[in-house]
Amino acid sequence: MRRLALPDDIRDVFSIYSHEQVVPFLTYEPMSFEDFEGVYAELLASGSFFVWQVDGEIAGFYRSTRYPGRVRHVALLGTLAVDPRRHGQGVGRAMVADAIERLRADGIRRIELYAESDNTQALRFYRQLGFVHEGTLRDFYKRADQAHYVDEYVMGLLLA
Ligand SMILES: CC(C)(COP(=O)(O)OP(=O)(O)OC[C@H]1O[C@@H](n2cnc3c(N)ncnc32)[C@H](O)[C@@H]1OP(=O)(O)O)[C@@H](O)C(=O)NCCC(=O)NCCS
């Protein structure tokens, strides 16, 4: 079940966000709970940060941002993850399929996202959902614990 995230969800979201299997693929380096409070406040303020519940527990989350003006038919998905204890169980697929239908109903015609080129799991996941690799942002991403820069793939899905 989808719902907008609430202030009280912060601990559940933080525990997924900062998990060692998740944090390498999100925007920020691992951080303390206190530092995460600022990040979480921005996610809430966006009004477009959703949690996905399974059996009453937060199993995943994502943010969907709609662009303005002449790009208002386009939505950007980001800050997306599933609780690692539930990986490979179809939770992500259900969450993103629901997001796609919600965005389609809102008049969105194109959904795009960025994924690191070394995130094999996510690339396969998005391809199965119909996203296409549209381009590469070279050396876009850098993790503090690695010496090299990582290419970023722009992936897009057109809704008929
Ligand atoms: C990517 C992610 C959201 C997928 O969520 P999930 O709930 O595990 O995915 P699902 O169970 O719905 O799997 C759907 C498909 O994804 C792929 N997939 C999922 N887990 C996988 C794994 N461990 N290895 C390889 N592919 C995998 C498969 O193609 C799978 O289809 P299949 O079951 O027919 O093989 C999850 O792995 C995650 O949270 N990763 C860390 C954060 C992240 O990378 N976020 C994306 C940032 S762009």
Side-chain angles (χ1 to χ4, degrees):
M1 189 197 85
R2 161 186 26 102
R3 65 168 172 77
L4 274 171
L6 297 169
D8 280 353
D9 297 326
I10 185 168
R11 294 227 169 249
D12 292 338
V13 171
F14 178 68
S15 97
I16 298 173
Y17 195 108
S18 51
H19 193 282
E20 61 181 9
Q21 289 173 43
V22 170
V23 78
F25 304 111
L26 299 183
T27 302
Y28 294 106
E29 292 296 333
M31 64 179 82
S32 66
F33 180 76
E34 288 67 33
D35 286 345
F36 186 71
E37 286 180 310
V39 172
Y40 194 68
E42 280 184 28
L43 288 170
L44 286 186
S46 74
S48 57
F49 183 61
F50 294 89
V51 294
W52 183 253
Q53 288 183 299
V54 175
D55 300 331
E57 286 181 7
I58 293 180
F61 52 71
Y62 68 94
R63 176 174 171 179
S64 60
T65 315
R66 186 173 193 154
Y67 290 103
R70 289 177 171 155
V71 204
R72 63 185 307 281
H73 61 284
V74 182
L76 173 72
L77 284 188
T79 316
L80 185 153
V82 165
D83 183 340
R85 292 173 301 179
R86 297 184 188 267
H87 279 184
Q89 297 174 19
V91 172
R93 191 194 308 261
M95 177 172 80
V96 175
D98 174 80
I100 291 170
E101 287 321 305
R102 177 177 62 81
L103 293 168
R104 187 201 304 274
D106 282 352
I108 293 294
R109 194 179 175 282
R110 169 187 163 83
I111 303 176
E112 61 184 32
L113 57 88
Y114 289 6
E116 289 73 57
S117 55
D118 60 4
N119 193 352
T120 323
Q121 225 165 288
L123 294 175
R124 186 161 161 219
F125 170 74
Y126 290 127
R127 282 197 186 105
Q128 285 203 343
L129 281 155
F131 285 83
V132 172
H133 175 200
E134 296 182 327
T136 301
L137 304 173
R138 295 173 300 159
D139 284 0
F140 183 82
Y141 196 81
K142 172 76 176 67
R143 301 181 183 100
D145 61 352
Q146 294 178 334
H148 63 282
Y149 288 79
V150 179
D151 289 350
E152 192 82 3
Y153 288 172
V154 179
M155 302 196 75
L157 174 72
L158 293 187
L159 306 180

